[in-house]
Amino acid sequence: NIHLQLLERDLRHREPSGAGNSGSDEDLLESVRIARSEVGRLDTIINQFLGAVRPAHTVRTMASINTVVHESLAFLQPEIKDRDVIVQEELGDALPLIPANVDQLKQAFYNLIKNAVQALTHGGILRVTTSRSDTHLQVSFEDNGTGISVEDMAHITEPYFTRKKNGTGLGLFIVQRILHEHGGHLELLSEPGRGTTARILLPLAERRVRLLGSGEEPAAVPPPGDTKAGAP
């Protein structure tokens, strides 16, 4: 909206010959480019939001969690930069690919990143880490912001619960719904005045299978996202 206002102002001051305008053609083109980019960004957010609230058939591909994290942070870079937040990325090496709907995972990450950034004062720190265990990939978003009170923690994932003036109260609800679709879950740890850690656990596509003795039937390996069967 700001760039469109600047563009409108400069166009109003342009003379038919192009002389005397307050901004060069390059400046005007840059304003158009930024405005179109921001409109596209907002359109993507809205579509992903609606897709998370009304999930359709989940199409999954083998995805790199580090790539999804890095692209999510890059997507929200304007907001991160505006609040002067320092981002520390500590992404694990050689993490396995997992079956995922990348757009939905990005929406979950967007919500957690935005929550962290909004809880931070200018110059605050957001630490993002990825790692793995034998059964899960772990993604953590840790901030040193205001934290969440004990009373609010009891209701924080309920739909429409929010302390934000313009909040919808659907952010963490959507995160949980997306993670459920991927067989994962969310853990929240917070200390008022010291910050909050949002930890995502996503099941690996490959599970360790024990060596079988002769004559034994192979152990059944649950499909990705199956939370009812344990890892063999």
Side-chain angles (χ1 to χ4, degrees):
N1 187 45
I2 291 172
H3 281 278
L4 288 173
Q5 290 181 43
L6 291 173
L7 180 60
E8 181 182 28
R9 183 200 65 188
D10 287 342
L11 288 175
R12 288 184 183 277
H13 287 83
R14 285 176 69 89
E15 298 178 1
S17 63
N21 56 296
S22 60
S24 67
D25 289 345
E26 290 78 10
D27 291 337
L28 297 180
L29 288 173
E30 179 66 8
S31 291
V32 171
R33 185 194 66 77
I34 293 174
R36 292 186 62 185
S37 175
E38 288 299 295
V39 169
R41 184 174 70 87
L42 293 172
D43 184 60
T44 299
I45 290 174
I46 292 170
N47 285 329
Q48 290 172 342
F49 179 85
L50 292 175
V53 175
R54 302 178 303 185
H57 176 65
T58 301
V59 178
R60 301 184 187 182
T61 58
M62 299 305 292
S64 163
I65 200 70
N66 283 351
T67 299
V68 178
V69 168
H70 188 72
E71 291 180 352
S72 299
L73 288 168
F75 185 75
L76 292 175
Q77 187 59 33
E79 184 170 343
I80 293 171
K81 183 178 180 180
D82 183 62
R83 297 183 69 89
D84 198 26
V85 170
I86 299 169
V87 177
Q88 298 176 345
E89 291 185 58
E90 300 177 14
L91 308 184
D93 296 327
L95 298 180
L97 303 180
I98 60 169
N101 182 300
V102 172
D103 287 339
Q104 287 190 357
L105 273 191
K106 283 184 178 180
Q107 182 61 59
F109 292 174
Y110 294 156
N111 289 353
L112 295 178
I113 294 168
K114 287 173 71 70
N115 281 351
V117 169
Q118 291 170 3
L120 290 168
T121 57
H122 284 269
I125 297 174
L126 171 61
R127 181 169 172 259
V128 185
T129 63
T130 60
S131 59
R132 64 161 292 175
S133 67
D134 289 344
T135 58
H136 289 80
L137 285 183
Q138 178 176 293
V139 186
S140 294
F141 301 91
E142 179 182 355
D143 67 69
N144 62 346
T146 55
I148 305 169
S149 69
V150 175
E151 294 77 14
D152 286 353
M153 279 292 288
H155 306 283
I156 198 68
T157 58
E158 295 175 2
Y160 307 113
F161 177 84
T162 181
R163 296 295 188 192
K164 299 175 183 177
K165 182 179 180 180
N166 297 315
T168 64
L170 289 172
L172 290 179
F173 175 74
I174 290 173
V175 171
Q176 287 193 313
R177 188 165 188 173
I178 291 172
L179 296 182
H180 177 75
E181 291 285 327
H182 288 78
H185 64 277
L186 173 69
E187 296 177 351
L188 287 174
L189 304 171
S190 187
E191 186 175 347
R194 297 182 64 89
T196 300
T197 297
R199 183 178 298 124
I200 286 175
L201 296 175
L202 295 166
L204 296 174
E206 299 177 358
R207 309 286 181 88
R208 288 190 173 184
V209 180
R210 62 184 175 87
L211 295 176
L212 301 174
S214 60
E216 293 187 43
E217 292 294 325
V221 179
D226 188 346
T227 58
K228 296 180 180 179

